Amino acid sequence: MTHPSPVSSRALVLFGATGDLAKRMLWPSLYALHCDGLLPDRFQLIGAATSAVEHASFIAKVSDAIQSSANSAMFDAVKFAEFAARVQYVSVNVEAPQGLEPIRAALGGSVAGGVIYYLSTGPQLFGPICLALKAHGLVDAASRIVIEKPIGTDTASALKVNESVGAAFEEHQVFRIDHYLGKEAVQNLLALRFANAIFEPLWNANAIEQVQISVAETVGVGGRWSFYDSTGALRDMVQSHVLQLLCLVAMEPPAGFTPSAVRNEKVKVLWSLRPITADNVATHTVRGQYGSGFSGGEAAPGYAQEAGAGAASDTETFVALKVEVDNWRWAGVPFYLRTGKRMQRRSSEIMIQFKPAPYNIFAGIGATLAPNALLIKLQPEEMITLTLMHKQPGLNEVKLSEVPLNLSVSDAFGKTRRRIAYERMLLDVLHDSSALFVRRDEIEASWKWIDGIIAGWKATGQKCRPYPAGTNGPSAAVALTERHGHSWHE
Ligand code: BG6
């Protein structure tokens, strides 16, 4: 997570420079890196999109984007003027033979010195843009390309995207973002596991009873109905963010914090996932779709009533899975994964529940023991809690309670500014450090596993179960864990 490598980056070309992600995340993140002195001297920022936009009006858009972002408090007119001096806008046409020439001109005629291309565009443009960059001679050995999910919608389409990107860039030049890997708390999973000696001897099927990974959102699909309807929670969240979290929890210790070592261990977890197919999809998965209800104390529409909703749809906005990782470390340990929109509260967390004490010496005096659990809260707050049994103070008979040992990140590290995940990701691209990016084989392995589930759903006709907005999903999800004597951590 440090950046020892020599920097060879002289410009970032941002395709989709006026789009939503650029406005909410990318310009504000680049601005923060500028303010913190983390962009190289004379580093150019070239916004590219199809429409013709005057320079001044583009700079005004960038300024507005920063001022209405999570980094708005950093806005300062003098700093912004310095930042704006780095920024240019070019109008491009990927389909025209000379359509990317404005980029070359903005770069002063040459791509030498390390140019980063960030494709904040629809995924259907990833292939065409890469091929056009190559055809225009805008790619050299120091160039890099950044793309983000969705990378395909199944194995076949992901392979196609990876092939077109691979036709223009070597794999080490490709940075596939999963923005969850840019979150501090997610990176801390590696530190928690591999910078502390106490957990590793217990981090396996001998000591762990079950693992839960929940990514619950309170938002609905918002204005994205048509995208979402052809996607669903399994493809939108599980294939990427949730499986990445699973990899970080389940992976073997990498030989070092290097891109190959970390990613080799992650992909092995994906290869070890027991397939979920038509044979076990009914017992291992639950699909749900939110109906109307209440969210944050306000009435919330159901999925079918959201703006832009089309014909009756069976797309899942919630999914719960029981997953097995078939290797020596995890044999027999269920991993329960759950993600959904319009759930009761926003919370991403990982719960590792240890096996119960082998014998209760306090049983004779009526004390029951709860198994220890390690709860890693990723968002909205970052907190690590280890629950321990503790004697209640007093002279009477021995009474035991479960007591949390809490490590609150904000208490431990004070008011360090919370970084947008993209600040970390952009900085890592600048420094050519790809450990926190997803490698091609990870994408393909995760799609292969997801495809099995989707095929299983199709073959068995498994339908979504309704759940009211503002709840924790359909009751079948509760049954999924209870069948094995477990219950969701709420
Ligand atoms: C995106 C999904 O990748 O992640 C969205 O497409 C989801 O549907 C979002 O809302 C969640 O990200 P975060 O950072 O808000 O947890």
Side-chain angles (χ1 to χ4, degrees):
M1 301 179 206
T2 53
H3 292 99
S5 57
V7 181
S8 80
S9 301
R10 59 167 277 227
L12 182 141
V13 179
L14 175 53
F15 284 84
T18 51
D20 183 56
L21 183 73
K23 277 192 217 150
R24 286 186 302 114
M25 301 289 173
L26 302 177
W27 289 114
S29 297
L30 289 165
Y31 174 70
L33 295 180
H34 167 84
C35 291
D36 290 344
L38 295 171
L39 293 182
D41 289 347
R42 290 186 293 281
F43 188 75
Q44 286 179 271
L45 296 166
I46 301 169
T50 47
S51 46
V53 183
E54 291 293 327
H55 178 75
S57 111
F58 185 70
I59 296 295
K61 280 185 208 291
V62 172
S63 161
D64 287 350
I66 296 164
Q67 293 185 66
S68 39
S69 75
N71 283 348
S72 58
M74 295 182 83
F75 192 85
D76 167 273
V78 175
K79 285 264 176 226
F80 181 74
E82 278 167 26
F83 177 71
R86 297 176 180 272
V87 179
Q88 283 166 276
Y89 176 81
V90 292
S91 159
V92 292
N93 179 351
V94 177
E95 281 161 15
Q98 303 290 310
L100 299 188
E101 283 308 319
I103 294 177
R104 190 193 315 281
L107 288 167
S110 153
V111 293
V115 176
I116 298 163
Y117 298 102
Y118 193 124
L119 310 193
S120 177
T121 63
Q124 72 287 358
L125 289 176
F126 294 168
I129 294 178
C130 288
L131 297 175
L133 286 168
K134 170 111 171 147
H136 280 77
L138 289 169
V139 179
D140 72 4
S143 308
R144 267 150 279 162
I145 183 92
V146 187
I147 55 177
E148 185 162 2
K149 69 179 274 281
I151 296 173
T153 53
D154 56 13
T155 308
S157 52
L159 276 170
K160 220 165 136 194
V161 174
N162 284 338
E163 289 298 333
S164 330
V165 174
F169 295 89
E170 303 280 336
E171 178 61 23
H172 70 87
Q173 298 176 284
V174 184
F175 289 73
R176 294 180 195 80
I177 289 194
D178 184 308
H179 80 276
Y180 267 54
L181 296 179
K183 292 180 190 270
E184 267 314 326
V186 175
Q187 290 165 33
N188 190 47
L189 280 173
L190 289 172
L192 181 75
R193 285 198 58 199
F194 304 124
N196 295 294
I198 58 168
F199 294 116
E200 187 52 26
L202 300 176
W203 210 265
N204 55 51
N206 296 331
I208 292 179
E209 167 74 20
Q210 56 146 334
V211 177
Q212 297 186 5
I213 302 177
S214 277
V215 179
E217 300 182 276
T218 49
V219 291
V221 292
R224 299 198 303 159
W225 199 92
S226 61
F227 156 76
Y228 195 88
D229 200 55
S230 58
T231 306
L234 185 72
R235 289 189 176 100
D236 184 41
M237 295 294 287
V238 179
Q239 182 271 333
S240 48
H241 311 320
V242 178
L243 284 185
Q244 285 294 320
L245 295 178
L246 169 63
C247 286
L248 296 179
V249 173
M251 70 198 267
E252 296 301 313
F257 189 69
T258 63
S260 318
V262 171
R263 302 187 299 178
N264 286 350
E265 297 309 335
K266 283 199 296 161
V267 78
K268 285 186 210 161
V269 175
L270 297 169
W271 291 336
S272 307
L273 296 178
R274 185 179 301 175
I276 297 181
T277 62
D279 294 338
N280 55 358
V281 79
T283 50
H284 284 60
T285 72
V286 173
R287 310 175 67 219
Q289 188 187 85
Y290 61 86
S292 56
F294 287 87
S295 179
E298 292 191 3
Y303 180 71
Q305 289 83 48
E306 291 283 11
S313 156
D314 187 50
T315 297
E316 79 285 353
T317 60
F318 171 97
V319 66
L321 309 170
K322 174 174 181 263
V323 176
E324 273 127 317
V325 181
D326 281 338
N327 61 23
W328 272 43
R329 184 185 285 266
W330 295 114
V333 179
F335 282 69
Y336 298 106
L337 313 183
R338 175 175 71 161
T339 183
K341 297 212 180 279
R342 283 279 186 238
M343 293 186 66
Q344 194 172 24
R345 59 190 176 95
R346 177 167 183 249
S347 157
S348 299
E349 61 181 40
I350 297 168
M351 204 262 306
I352 317 281
Q353 192 198 303
F354 293 93
K355 295 218 146 101
Y359 178 72
N360 179 5
I361 64 162
F362 303 103
I365 54 168
T368 50
L369 305 182
N372 303 121
L374 179 68
L375 182 66
I376 305 163
K377 287 179 176 264
L378 306 172
Q379 62 184 23
E381 73 276 28
E382 290 171 42
M383 168 102 97
I384 298 176
T385 299
L386 183 63
T387 55
L388 299 173
M389 294 309 295
H390 198 283
K391 179 185 170 302
Q392 291 179 13
L395 296 177
N396 297 334
E397 77 276 31
V398 178
K399 280 198 175 153
L400 302 175
S401 311
E402 217 179 334
V403 177
L405 203 60
N406 282 336
L407 189 163
S408 147
V409 174
S410 56
D411 290 353
F413 295 99
K415 296 205 185 323
T416 320
R417 180 172 74 79
R418 270 180 100 129
R419 302 280 183 172
I420 298 178
Y422 287 89
E423 294 179 39
R424 152 67 50 206
M425 306 313 275
L426 285 162
L427 192 60
D428 282 2
V429 180
L430 274 170
H431 291 266
D432 204 16
S433 162
S434 54
L436 295 174
F437 294 79
V438 185
R439 206 167 56 188
R440 177 178 178 155
D441 52 358
E442 292 178 73
I443 297 278
E444 293 171 8
S446 54
W447 273 124
K448 192 168 167 224
W449 186 75
I450 294 286
D451 283 355
I453 301 177
I454 292 172
W457 284 344
K458 281 205 180 119
T460 59
Q462 188 171 325
K463 296 275 169 251
C464 284
R465 294 161 190 268
Y467 64 96
T471 64
N472 284 335
S475 53
V478 175
L480 182 82
T481 54
E482 288 192 343
R483 222 177 284 140
H484 308 280
H486 301 136
S487 50
W488 290 107
H489 179 263
E490 304 292 6

